[in-house]
């Protein structure tokens, strides 16, 4: 990726170690990243993470991950508070958009910033709602549930591709194998009919994605993963606001909405079946 250099301010691709800076800043913003997100995210596109340095000091970050030739996702757009409003964020934003030039770009932005994103050509597709509850439920016995590691990886990729704008096999391999996580699939008539991943976060645990062919299958996956969360620990699920069954699932299990984002796209809105998406994978990488 091309660098942007001025006498004092440099924008360049992050090293793997510098991705930890973005994760820490995201945690400070209250976004509650997963403990092992950095390795998974970096594997998706090592060139898709930018850092802005002012006289050598990191002051701005952004991720612009390419999933293929046609789709990329923008996240981790953060400027250190004391440097905001001085143009540094806009410079790294423009550098990120240049990297994804020619692709449809998605983002999950703070609702209050929708107007600014529209100025860069983004349009609102739907809201995403973060729900918070607690774990500690009794274990679930369900013979249709299987570890994703026991299934052909090609089957998982094929299922996921119908519910994500671009094939993301490299990311998925790392996502389902990360430490301190549980990845389950659910079978129906001997075929994969849904899957979900639970991972440990700075605060509690998150389920994401939660994809399923029906609300009933989604609930079975949700219950199985909630049972893996230690009693009393926080559990989070990011639901698309336009999937009423997903919202109802979270509310039915005593979860409360604590955060909201605006899913926006620049370019054609991807044609995916949103009614099978009960939990998005992450707000940072889509």
């Amino acid at each position: 990726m091309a660098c942007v250099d001025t006498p004092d301010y440099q924008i360049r691709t992050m090293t793997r170690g510098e991705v930890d800076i973005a994760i820490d800043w995201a945690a400070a913003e209250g976004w509650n990243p997963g403990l092992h997100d950095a390795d998974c995210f970096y594997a998706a596109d090592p060139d898709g993470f930018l850092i802005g340095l002012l006289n050598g000091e990191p002051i701005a970050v952004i991720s612009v991950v390419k999933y293929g030739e046609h789709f990329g996702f923008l996240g981790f757009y953060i400027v250190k508070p004391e440097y905001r409003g001085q143009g540094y964020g806009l410079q790294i934003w423009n550098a990120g958009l240049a990297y994804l030039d020619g692709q449809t770009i998605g983002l999950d932005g703070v609702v209050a910033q929708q107007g600014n994103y529209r100025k860069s050509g983004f349009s609102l597709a739907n809201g995403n709602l973060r729900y918070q509850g607690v774990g500690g439920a009794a274990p679930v016995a369900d013979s249709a549930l299987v570890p994703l590691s026991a299934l052909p990886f090609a089957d998982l990729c094929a299922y996921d591709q119908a519910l994500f704008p671009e094939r993301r096999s490299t990311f998925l391999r790392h996502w389902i194998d990360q430490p301190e996580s549980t990845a389950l699939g659910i079978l129906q008539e001997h075929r994969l009919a849904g899957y979900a991943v639970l991972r440990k976060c700075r605060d509690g645990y998150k389920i994401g994605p939660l994809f399923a062919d029906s609300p009933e299958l989604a609930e079975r996956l949700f219950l199985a993963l909630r049972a893996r969360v230690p009693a009393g620990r926080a559990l989070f699920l990011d639901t698309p606001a336009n999937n009423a069954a997903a919202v109802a699932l979270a509310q039915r299990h005593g979860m409360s909405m604590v955060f909201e984002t605006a899913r926006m796209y620049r370019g054609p809105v991807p044609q995916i079946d949103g009614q099978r998406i009960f939990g998005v994978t992450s707000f940072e990488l889509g």
Side-chain angles (χ1 to χ4, degrees), residues 110-269:
V110 178
V111 173
Q113 293 297 320
Q114 284 185 64
N116 287 330
Y117 297 139
R118 286 194 178 96
K119 293 175 184 177
S120 292
F122 287 83
S123 299
L124 179 67
N126 62 271
N128 286 320
L129 309 175
R130 173 162 293 170
Y131 279 88
Q132 178 178 349
V134 294
V140 174
D142 190 333
S143 61
L145 294 170
V146 294
L148 281 181
S149 59
L151 299 175
F153 185 62
D155 291 355
L156 171 62
C157 291
Y159 188 88
D160 184 79
Q161 191 170 2
L163 298 173
F164 194 78
E166 188 83 68
R167 188 174 179 88
R168 51 175 180 171
S169 55
T170 300
F171 169 78
L172 282 179
R173 174 64 77 186
H174 286 79
W175 196 247
I176 69 172
D177 289 339
Q178 65 181 292
E180 300 183 273
S181 69
T182 302
L184 296 177
I186 191 164
L187 302 179
Q188 193 171 53
E189 297 179 354
H190 307 291
R191 67 171 184 83
L192 188 62
Y195 84 93
V197 178
L198 173 77
R199 75 190 196 279
K200 192 172 185 180
C201 296
R202 298 286 181 98
D203 175 21
Y205 294 75
K206 285 182 190 172
I207 295 175
L210 174 55
F211 295 166
D213 289 353
S214 70
E216 185 262 341
L217 293 172
E219 184 150 24
R220 288 160 67 184
L221 282 163
F222 173 85
L223 292 173
L225 291 177
R226 187 181 67 167
R228 305 290 185 100
V229 178
R233 293 294 302 276
L235 174 64
F236 299 90
L237 178 67
D238 297 333
T239 66
N242 59 353
N243 184 340
V247 173
L249 185 155
Q251 294 177 344
R252 186 163 57 250
H253 293 286
M255 305 181 84
S256 300
M257 201 268 281
V258 294
F259 185 62
E260 181 178 2
T261 70
R263 171 61 64 89
M264 305 182 76
Y265 294 101
R266 189 171 84 164
V269 176

Side-chain angles (χ1 to χ4, degrees), residues 67-120:
Y67 282 107
E69 296 182 0
H70 306 292
F71 182 72
F73 203 87
L74 186 154
F76 286 112
Y77 179 42
I78 308 172
V79 178
K80 289 182 73 173
E82 60 267 37
Y83 295 103
R84 292 173 184 173
Q86 301 175 48
Y88 299 117
L90 180 60
Q91 289 183 63
I92 200 169
W93 170 268
N94 288 335
L97 292 184
Y99 178 64
L100 295 177
D101 185 48
Q103 296 187 312
T104 292
I105 307 171
L107 64 80
D108 275 312
V110 178
V111 173
Q113 293 297 320
Q114 284 185 64
N116 287 330
Y117 297 139
R118 286 194 178 96
K119 293 175 184 177
S120 292

